[in-house]
Amino acid sequence: MDLLNTLVDKGLRREVPSREEALAVLATPDDELLDVVAAAGKVRRQWFGRRVKLNYLVNLKSGLCPEDCSYCSQRLGSKAEILKYTWLKPDEASQAAAAGVAGGAKRVCLVASGRGPTDKDVDRVAATIDAIKSENEGVEVCACLGLLSDGQAERLRGAGADAYNHNLNTSEATYGDITTTHTYADRVDTVQKAHAAGLSACSGLIAGMGESDEDLVDVVFGLRELDPDSVPVNFLIPFEGTPLAKEWNLTPQRCLRILAMVRFVCPDVEVRIAGGREVHLRTMQPLALHIANSIFLGDYLTSEGQAGRADLEMIADAGFEVEGTDQVTLPEHRAGGGCGSVCGSEENAEAPGTPEVSEARTDLVAVRRRGAGTDLAPNA
């Protein structure tokens, strides 16, 4: 296919595809899906070989968030029967993190619900980072605490944080449809604060919220402009008790096309398969490893994930290897500026796209009942 050959050539040169090309990836028929995966796989192998980076989530504070993000089980007014607890103590968080590190995780992601941290919260997280790093040599720590105020990114960096996550989630045009308590611009500002403080920026999206193909392309091109080092691709988990509980819009095939589009637009960036992969990719997860070079190990914030051992077996069976703490994730050229800051851009007219519809699989959504905030062993 001329389209895929063009996208591979551009990806190997770190050139941005046109918006028309990105939309065309999302519109490819199922009969050509393996060709799309193979093409994205060539780009993935060029910059990341056959390595898979493992990341492990620790939910420091669960539920009772004052923000109204429609996709979130922790949102204001959520009736989802999730775990709810206040801040874990540093030693509790360190113990939870140790389970993930023992399972092969290279990065620990510390997440707390809420609009954003207070200065006292930053102190708590700083103590937690110290506890984790003192017990786990070589581990990376990423903080995800919501909107940052001036100076907080610098304090986190000084405390030993390596990265900061704050997702854009969806396009600027539709952001107000999913959240009213903060804006798309607020999220952009926090990613820029993380960048300016010297933290590795991590920012991604959520697919499956009823967005159009144009919205998906918009948010990925918006991410490229921000130039994060890692882009988590989440697939909506439609929790009962949230406004988007009925949004079952994804098929495994569409998820693979979305991942491929992200890889082509951000060829040399860590693309992470994040929340919802088990729910929507299902038995197609191994194919996704040919596109993405990073996954979360075990459970998520409020939902259960695939067993950690099953993740490791899947990686090995698919012919990939777990990235070690002694290996550098990103290509060498990104040390001095990522793809968005060194590559050209190209803008073309958009093409229409029609999202596919999948039947609801509520049987696949399991609320997390183990790990952080409980007396049960974590899944790692």
Side-chain angles (χ1 to χ4, degrees), residues 137-339:
E137 184 178 357
V139 71
E140 299 174 3
V141 175
C142 177
C144 178
L145 312 173
L147 301 172
L148 293 174
S149 301
D150 290 343
Q152 290 184 328
E154 287 79 6
R155 291 179 59 199
L156 289 167
R157 179 65 176 144
D162 300 283
Y164 195 83
N165 166 262
H166 200 61
N167 296 329
L168 296 187
N169 291 327
T170 193
S171 68
E172 183 173 14
T174 59
Y175 196 84
D177 296 335
I178 64 166
T179 305
T180 66
T181 48
H182 60 267
T183 66
Y184 181 93
D186 291 332
R187 287 187 171 267
V188 169
D189 178 67
T190 285
V191 177
Q192 291 173 335
K193 281 184 168 70
H195 252 317
L199 291 165
S200 175
C202 173
S203 187
L205 64 141
I206 303 174
M209 297 189 291
E211 71 282 337
S212 67
D213 284 3
E214 288 83 356
D215 291 322
L216 286 170
V217 170
D218 281 349
V219 69
V220 175
F221 272 76
L223 287 165
R224 185 184 169 93
E225 290 178 10
L226 285 176
D227 192 26
D229 289 325
S230 56
V231 176
V233 180
N234 296 276
F235 302 109
L236 176 71
I237 301 176
F239 271 97
E240 292 296 327
T242 65
L244 299 184
K246 305 304 180 185
E247 294 288 344
W248 289 86
N249 304 309
L250 298 171
T251 65
Q253 294 80 8
R254 181 162 174 80
C255 292
L256 289 170
R257 282 191 285 269
I258 291 168
L259 286 168
M261 185 268 287
V262 175
R263 172 57 72 201
F264 290 131
V265 176
C266 303
D268 59 346
V269 168
E270 176 190 341
V271 176
R272 185 181 311 154
I273 318 170
R277 65 178 165 94
E278 298 89 345
V279 176
H280 296 293
L281 279 164
R282 302 193 283 277
T283 58
M284 303 279 268
Q285 290 181 70
L287 274 181
L289 294 176
H290 289 272
I291 305 171
N293 63 296
S294 179
I295 66 170
F296 279 111
L297 178 73
D299 293 334
Y300 302 99
L301 296 177
T302 62
S303 65
E304 290 188 355
Q306 185 166 278
R309 179 174 295 180
D311 285 337
L312 298 176
E313 291 175 351
M314 176 181 71
I315 291 168
D317 290 347
F320 294 90
E321 62 182 28
V322 173
E323 184 174 289
T325 56
D326 59 336
Q327 295 176 295
V328 177
T329 301
L330 295 172
E332 185 177 356
H333 64 264
R334 283 194 61 86
C339 181

Side-chain angles (χ1 to χ4, degrees), residues 71-191:
Y71 51 83
C72 185
S73 60
Q74 304 182 78
R75 73 186 297 272
L76 178 69
S78 171
K79 293 180 174 59
E81 296 180 355
I82 62 169
L83 289 170
K84 298 181 178 68
Y85 52 86
T86 189
W87 288 91
L88 297 181
K89 295 182 174 61
D91 61 328
E92 294 172 329
S94 181
Q95 289 174 14
V101 175
K106 179 177 178 178
R107 172 174 287 189
V108 172
C109 304
L110 302 176
V111 188
S113 62
R115 179 178 177 84
T118 65
D119 288 340
K120 183 178 180 180
D121 294 337
V122 173
D123 290 338
R124 284 192 183 101
V125 175
T128 299
I129 294 170
D130 181 67
I132 290 172
K133 290 206 163 188
S134 65
E135 296 293 331
N136 301 281
E137 184 178 357
V139 71
E140 299 174 3
V141 175
C142 177
C144 178
L145 312 173
L147 301 172
L148 293 174
S149 301
D150 290 343
Q152 290 184 328
E154 287 79 6
R155 291 179 59 199
L156 289 167
R157 179 65 176 144
D162 300 283
Y164 195 83
N165 166 262
H166 200 61
N167 296 329
L168 296 187
N169 291 327
T170 193
S171 68
E172 183 173 14
T174 59
Y175 196 84
D177 296 335
I178 64 166
T179 305
T180 66
T181 48
H182 60 267
T183 66
Y184 181 93
D186 291 332
R187 287 187 171 267
V188 169
D189 178 67
T190 285
V191 177

Side-chain angles (χ1 to χ4, degrees), residues 8 35-45 260 263-264 290-291:
V8 170
D35 296 327
V36 173
V37 173
K42 290 180 181 179
V43 178
R44 180 247 202 268
R45 289 192 299 276
R263 172 57 72 201
F264 290 131
H290 289 272
I291 305 171

